[in-house]
Amino acid sequence: MKSFAFLFLPLVIALGSLQGGEPPVLEIKNKSSFQMASNGRNPFWPIGFKPTAQMLSPRADNAGPAVPLTAFLLTSITLDQGTHFAIINGKTIQEDQEFSLKSGSQNYQIKLKSIEDGRVILVCRDQEIIVPLRRK
C-alpha cells in the first residue's frame, strides 16, 4: 500500500501541472530601494565591527604631511559630570587641551576638541580627526 502512494503521488503532481497552462504574470507595484544616511552605520558590516579612525574636512592648504591615523590609540574615556578625560597613547588628556605627537621625524601639535561616547575628535592644522575607542 505504501509503494502505491509513492507511485501515485508523482503522477497526480504531473497531471496537475499539465492542466494548469501558463502561470499568472506578477505586476510589481512598488520597487524597493535602499538609501543609507551619510553618518549611519553600514548594515553590511559584521556585528561588533568598528571602523578605523577617519579624517574629516581635509584641506589642500595645510602645510606639511598629514598626521597618520595609526598614530593614535584611544584606550579609555571618562565622561564625568563636570570634566571629560580620555587616555590617548597612554596620556590622560582633557577637552581643549593641547599635546604634541612625534611620529617618525615629524612633530605635530594636536588639540583635543571634544570627547564623546565611544570616540574623540582631535584637531591638527585645521583638520578634524575622529578616533574611535579601542574595544577588545
Side-chain angles (χ1 to χ4, degrees):
M1 187 68 172
K2 289 182 182 179
S3 62
F4 178 73
F6 286 118
L7 295 174
F8 186 69
L9 184 62
L11 182 64
V12 171
I13 293 173
L15 287 176
S17 65
L18 290 176
Q19 293 177 357
E22 296 272 333
V25 178
L26 298 176
E27 279 188 42
I28 300 175
K29 294 181 181 179
N30 297 325
K31 187 175 181 179
S32 63
S33 64
F34 176 74
Q35 296 292 329
M36 189 172 86
S38 62
N39 61 351
R41 181 188 176 279
N42 188 337
F44 300 104
W45 286 341
I47 294 174
F49 174 77
K50 301 294 179 194
T52 59
Q54 51 184 307
M55 305 258 317
L56 291 181
S57 66
R59 295 185 183 172
D61 61 345
N62 293 332
V67 181
L69 298 175
T70 57
F72 303 105
L73 178 62
L74 177 63
T75 54
S76 180
I77 292 177
T78 302
L79 298 174
D80 202 10
Q81 291 194 11
T83 56
H84 299 163
F85 294 98
I87 298 178
I88 303 173
N89 297 344
K91 298 178 185 176
T92 304
I93 304 169
Q94 278 185 305
E95 281 185 333
D96 296 326
Q97 184 177 350
E98 291 188 10
F99 63 98
S100 63
L101 173 71
K102 184 171 183 169
S103 177
S105 62
Q106 295 287 327
N107 280 333
Y108 301 101
Q109 287 296 332
I110 300 171
K111 180 179 180 181
L112 180 57
K113 182 178 177 181
S114 67
I115 300 173
E116 299 173 359
D117 187 25
R119 68 181 189 169
V120 296
I121 300 175
L122 304 173
V123 177
C124 180
R125 297 183 186 144
D126 296 330
Q127 292 179 345
E128 287 188 350
I129 304 168
I130 297 177
V131 181
L133 179 63
R134 178 179 169 215
R135 296 184 173 132
K136 292 183 181 181

